[in-house]
Amino acid sequence: MKCLLVIFPALLSSFAYAQTLSSSPYSRYGLGELQGTGLAQNYAMGGAGYAWRNDTISPNYINITNPASYSSLRVTTIELGMLSNSTQFQTTDTKFLLNNTSFDYIGVGIPLKPWWGLSFGVMPYSTVGYNIHTQQNRDTIGLVDYYYQGQGGLNKAYMGSGAKLLGKSFSERTGMDLSAGFNANFEFGQISNIRHVVYDSPNNYDTRIDENTRIHDVAWDFGMQFKFQIGSRMGNNPKLKTGCAYVDPKRSDTIVVYSNCRVDSVVKKKYYVHRTDDATHLEPKQIKVGLSKKTNPKLLCGCAYSDPKRADTIVVYNNCVIDSMIRNKYFSHRNDDTIHYEKKRVRKQIDPINFGIGLTYSPGMGLAGAYDLLARNYLADGTTEVYKDTIVNILNQKAIARIPSKIGIGISIGQSYKWNVLADFTYQQWSQFTFGGTPGGLQNSMQGSLGFQFQPGMTGGYFRIVRYRMGLRYNQTYLDLEGTQLVEMGVSLGAALPVSLPKIKRHYYDIMQLRDRKYTEYSMVNVSMEFGQMGTTTNGLIKETYGRVVLGFTINDRWFQRFKYND
């Protein structure tokens, strides 16, 4: 914790002087090349995330795209990310390649209460980096060279909070959840633009124009998420293939698990508790494992038990800790004293389908800023500019940057710890953007994102617990040049790689407590790759084809939480 308190302010200050992330000539316009609000996991799913919430077990992620999601934080979470771009620029007669790599973001999420979370961090808002040379032949002057250079950008330091609006008992009974949240974003940074007009004739002075724009003010984001479930019910499993968990005929409170049968070879030494009453509480009993019938004194957790309504049936819940690891593995029940293990009809709880809706709104804001403008004539003496006179000299002129409102809507559908589909739509009225009262000449932007995440299982090998992701993105940008509104399209792939596996701990709780309260902390390395293009070579424009890699680190740990111990 002390290390974070030292590192975070240092990273915050370094963003003001960070290297330029952009090398696009299109970053010359507006506020530069706008960066997405998501982290590595969002990049892998096309930037989608308005309706995305954390599952009820680790790992936890910070979903900055919608502050209402902070209410789903269960453990303290730290996010770090690095970004690397490789972009090919193409005109009608030439191609060239540029690469850049830099630190991208840091974020911290803290669960203050089971229904209330907090997050803060810093990341780029926009980036500027270009170096353009054009040449024109003027009838009365001759050849004129135009040089455009720019660097810098705006950064965003945010702090936000999200809370659940419905009571816990109501949410557990109905499967509904409603959350709301906000982000306060301190946007700061500087954009520097330099223009040279160089004449071929020695009788004309060349011109240099330096313009520096600074912004430092607070903007706000608001968000809501609504989640509900359908399909949670008990269903028959007619295709029972194998089973080796059964009630010991000599001890009705014991389940024997054979280690040499097919199912147990998948789950290895995970043990299950037998329930012999109708109460909600699952009382741990003595467990025997394997052919040797050795007692297992270290019972950790369990949630397989006999159905009180059918003596020949074992119910396996999919939403408890152990069964989340074995997923849909079913076990037969033996209710006689013979050697033969009779396979009976087995019932399982069918996991519910989770539906989510997310809404975000960023009101239009006037951000305080200032600019410097210096225009001078000069003569070039080799590589030295000898200035002759000053045309304009404006220092620290106050100005307001009018950032237009933005609205986003997203939906999600999926099953916890298995799969999830996300879809987002974003609209922002950039045609209303002005700086110092001057219109920016931008167009309204729209973006659609589609993402998918899949996890094969919780056991059975390392690559079964990896979360695989993919996404699509279509962005109609705010740039309209030569009568063409630029469009960006991309496809993304990624994976979340666990770096420390969860360990089951000893907790005597019922199923709901196992699902909602107890966690094992582990971390993930999130690798995301996006391939796409923006622009066109028609009308003298430039086509950009890029590959982008985001490497993110998600660290889960328990801070600021009070532990309870039994005597």
Side-chain angles (χ1 to χ4, degrees):
M1 177 60 185
K2 292 181 179 179
C3 180
L4 179 65
L5 294 178
V6 173
I7 294 175
F8 186 80
L11 287 173
L12 178 62
S13 62
S14 70
F15 262 80
Y17 306 98
Q19 57 183 318
T20 300
L21 293 173
S22 177
S23 55
S24 171
Y26 295 125
S27 65
R28 172 188 172 192
Y29 304 97
L31 294 176
E33 184 178 2
L34 300 180
Q35 304 298 304
T37 57
L39 306 186
Q41 48 271 23
N42 302 100
Y43 275 109
M45 296 186 289
Y50 289 146
W52 195 22
R53 294 178 62 81
N54 284 310
D55 286 331
T56 53
I57 62 172
S58 293
N60 272 203
Y61 298 103
I62 303 174
N63 182 14
I64 301 174
T65 64
N66 191 334
S69 66
Y70 303 156
S71 64
S72 66
L73 289 168
R74 302 305 184 96
V75 293
T76 300
T77 303
I78 302 173
E79 301 268 15
L80 301 169
M82 298 185 64
L83 173 66
S84 180
N85 274 320
S86 180
T87 307
Q88 176 185 270
F89 301 91
Q90 179 181 354
T91 64
T92 54
D93 54 3
T94 186
K95 294 181 181 179
F96 59 95
L97 184 70
L98 290 177
N99 303 306
N100 55 55
T101 301
S102 75
F103 184 81
D104 192 26
Y105 60 81
I106 179 173
V108 179
I110 302 172
L112 303 177
K113 296 287 185 180
W115 49 271
W116 180 24
L118 170 74
S119 181
F120 57 90
V122 61
M123 63 187 61
Y125 176 80
S126 69
T127 57
V128 175
Y130 61 90
N131 192 340
I132 304 171
H133 171 220
T134 63
Q135 190 177 72
Q136 295 182 7
N137 192 348
R138 299 295 181 89
D139 293 338
T140 58
I141 301 176
L143 289 177
V144 180
D145 291 284
Y146 298 89
Y147 297 89
Y148 304 91
Q149 295 174 305
Q151 63 179 359
L154 301 181
N155 301 304
K156 177 174 69 175
Y158 79 93
M159 176 173 285
S161 181
K164 295 181 180 180
L165 304 182
L166 302 179
K168 180 181 178 181
S169 60
F170 178 83
S171 295
E172 291 177 352
R173 186 172 65 254
T174 63
M176 297 182 183
D177 199 357
L178 178 65
S179 298
F182 71 92
N183 277 334
N185 307 307
F186 177 63
E187 298 181 1
F188 63 98
Q190 177 174 295
I191 298 174
S192 299
N193 297 291
I194 301 175
R195 287 175 285 170
H196 287 266
V197 182
V198 179
Y199 300 95
D200 188 53
S201 172
N203 298 322
N204 294 317
Y205 287 151
D206 299 331
T207 303
R208 170 172 174 157
I209 303 173
D210 294 78
E211 185 175 3
N212 294 318
T213 302
R214 297 177 296 279
I215 291 178
H216 43 80
D217 209 342
V218 176
W220 297 86
D221 298 328
F222 301 95
M224 295 191 71
Q225 287 183 330
F226 177 67
K227 176 183 175 182
F228 61 97
Q229 299 177 340
I230 64 171
S232 179
R233 59 186 176 87
M234 296 295 293
N236 294 330
N237 173 37
K239 297 181 180 180
L240 177 63
K241 297 180 179 179
T242 184
C244 49
Y246 62 92
V247 176
D248 188 341
K250 297 180 180 180
R251 291 184 57 87
S252 61
D253 61 349
T254 302
I255 288 182
V256 179
V257 180
Y258 274 83
S259 58
N260 62 346
C261 66
R262 195 184 314 169
V263 168
D264 192 59
S265 64
V266 173
V267 298
K268 296 193 177 174
K269 293 183 179 179
K270 302 296 186 290
Y271 315 126
Y272 307 93
V273 177
H274 175 63
R275 189 177 100 169
T276 57
D277 60 353
D278 297 336
T280 303
H281 180 68
L282 303 183
E283 182 181 357
K285 303 291 185 179
Q286 184 187 29
I287 299 298
K288 290 185 178 181
V289 181
L291 292 172
S292 62
K293 303 290 196 302
K294 292 182 179 179
T295 301
N296 170 38
K298 298 180 180 179
L299 175 64
L300 304 177
C301 177
C303 50
Y305 60 91
S306 293
D307 187 345
K309 297 181 180 180
R310 290 186 59 86
D312 62 348
T313 303
I314 287 182
V315 179
V316 181
Y317 272 86
N318 286 332
N319 61 351
C320 63
V321 174
I322 282 188
D323 192 60
S324 295
M325 294 182 180
I326 63 174
R327 290 294 174 89
N328 293 325
K329 301 298 187 295
Y330 314 126
F331 308 93
S332 65
H333 175 68
R334 189 181 104 169
N335 62 348
D336 57 8
D337 296 336
T338 63
I339 297 177
H340 176 67
Y341 306 133
E342 184 179 359
K343 296 179 180 180
K344 303 290 186 178
R345 184 177 66 168
V346 173
R347 305 178 73 201
K348 68 185 182 71
Q349 177 167 325
I350 298 175
D351 277 352
I353 302 295
N354 299 316
F355 289 89
I357 300 174
L359 296 172
T360 64
Y361 177 68
S362 302
M365 303 290 294
L367 303 183
Y371 70 92
D372 305 328
L373 179 61
L374 177 61
R376 294 169 290 179
N377 289 332
Y378 69 92
L379 286 176
D381 184 6
T383 59
T384 304
E385 297 176 354
V386 180
Y387 296 103
K388 295 301 181 179
D389 59 84
T390 299
I391 304 172
V392 178
N393 187 8
I394 301 175
L395 295 176
N396 202 30
Q397 177 66 45
K398 303 298 181 183
I400 299 295
R402 297 283 178 187
I403 306 297
S405 61
K406 180 176 71 172
I407 187 170
I409 183 170
I411 59 174
S412 68
I413 179 174
Q415 286 183 295
S416 297
Y417 332 122
K418 295 181 181 179
W419 59 272
N420 210 339
V421 178
L422 306 172
D424 284 4
F425 176 78
T426 307
Y427 178 78
Q428 190 163 11
Q429 295 179 306
W430 280 105
S431 60
Q432 299 180 2
F433 170 77
T434 62
F435 183 75
T438 302
L442 306 178
Q443 300 297 316
N444 297 336
S445 66
M446 295 182 291
Q447 176 171 296
S449 302
L450 181 66
F452 176 71
Q453 176 180 272
F454 172 71
Q455 182 174 346
M458 296 293 284
T459 60
Y462 179 81
F463 291 100
R464 282 183 56 79
I465 61 175
V466 172
R467 299 186 176 190
Y468 301 93
R469 299 167 177 147
M470 65 178 297
L472 300 171
R473 183 166 64 94
Y474 178 88
N475 180 21
Q476 184 174 291
T477 71
Y478 64 23
L479 296 180
D480 191 329
L481 304 175
E482 303 296 333
T484 303
Q485 187 162 5
L486 300 188
V487 171
E488 180 182 10
M489 295 179 290
V491 58
S492 55
L493 299 170
L497 308 173
V499 294
S500 61
L501 301 182
K503 298 178 180 179
I504 303 175
K505 299 181 179 180
R506 183 173 183 172
H507 295 294
Y508 300 110
Y509 292 98
D510 59 24
I511 288 175
M512 197 60 68
Q513 289 172 316
L514 288 170
R515 184 187 66 187
D516 289 345
R517 294 188 184 179
K518 307 320 298 179
Y519 289 82
T520 53
E521 302 81 24
Y522 64 105
S523 304
M524 308 289 281
V525 176
N526 298 289
V527 181
S528 304
M529 296 177 289
E530 184 181 33
F531 306 93
Q533 68 176 38
M534 183 178 73
T536 176
T537 57
T538 60
N539 298 326
L541 299 176
I542 299 174
K543 178 181 177 181
E544 299 181 3
T545 304
Y546 62 84
R548 178 177 299 148
V549 177
V550 182
L551 183 63
F553 301 90
T554 301
I555 303 170
N556 284 178
D557 207 343
R558 288 184 176 275
W559 295 351
F560 316 113
Q561 296 188 29
R562 182 179 300 174
F563 292 91
K564 296 181 180 180
Y565 301 92
N566 295 326
D567 295 333

